[in-house]
């Protein structure tokens, strides 16, 4: 029975790590997209208003 708990513990740890990594990846992509949009809006404003 101890072996089963050990396996479950390892699986839970791996699952947590993979979820953490995917969450960081999504956050990073979201930040990059937000920055790109911000740059695009700024460029557009510079072109239009000046």
């Amino acid at each position: 029975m101890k072996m089963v708990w050990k396996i479950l513990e390892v699986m839970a740890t791996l699952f947590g790590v993979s979820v953490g990594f995917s969450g960081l990846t999504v956050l990073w992509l979201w930040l990059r997209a937000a920055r790109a949009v911000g740059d695009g809006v700024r460029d557009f404003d510079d072109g239009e208003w000046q």
Side-chain angles (χ1 to χ4, degrees):
M1 197 60 190
K2 268 197 181 316
M3 191 65 184
V4 173
W5 282 117
K6 200 69 181 159
I7 292 170
L8 284 175
E9 195 180 340
V10 170
M11 283 175 64
T13 303
L14 288 175
F15 181 72
V17 168
S18 62
V19 167
F21 269 123
S22 57
L24 282 175
T25 304
V26 168
L27 186 65
W28 183 74
L29 288 173
W30 192 84
L31 284 173
R32 277 194 58 179
R35 189 176 301 152
V37 168
D39 288 349
V41 168
R42 202 175 304 122
D43 291 347
F44 181 76
D45 283 351
D46 288 348
E48 283 298 307
W49 299 118
Q50 291 176 352

